[in-house]
């Protein structure tokens, strides 16, 4: 299994797609974690669409690193 930690930037999403393609080539399962998932909801929607297309993904997780008041 491969854990992909996604950064919420266009480059992070592009890297994620490239890694997913490589991993799928070898038939390896993918787990995904999104860093600072609550910073850019447009990017989260894009990631969720990519995630929804890949039925072999077995984990969705996000974690918050931005300090809360």
């Amino acid at each position: 299994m491969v854990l992909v930690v996604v950064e919420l930037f266009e480059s992070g999403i592009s890297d994620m797609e490239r890694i997913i393609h490589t991993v799928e080539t070898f038939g390896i399962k993918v787990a995904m974690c999104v860093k600072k998932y609550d910073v850019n909801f447009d990017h989260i929607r894009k990631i969720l669409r990519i995630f929804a297309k890949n039925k072999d993904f077995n984990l969705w997780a996000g974690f918050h690193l931005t300090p809360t008041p």
Side-chain angles (χ1 to χ4, degrees), residues 13-68:
I13 295 170
S14 173
D15 291 346
M16 176 195 70
E17 290 178 304
R18 192 178 72 246
I19 291 167
I20 289 169
H21 176 72
T22 302
V23 168
E24 286 177 335
T25 301
F26 294 102
I28 301 171
K29 292 187 183 243
V30 176
M32 183 173 13
C33 183
V34 180
K35 233 172 118 174
K36 296 186 181 182
Y37 67 94
D38 60 345
V39 174
N40 187 326
F41 291 106
D42 291 332
H43 285 129
I44 287 294
R45 283 189 281 278
K46 188 173 185 178
I47 290 169
L48 286 172
R49 281 193 298 272
I50 294 166
F51 181 77
K53 287 188 227 175
N54 296 282
K55 303 298 184 209
D56 289 337
F57 288 10
N58 61 359
L59 173 67
W60 165 261
F63 61 95
H64 181 80
L65 292 177
T66 307
T68 54

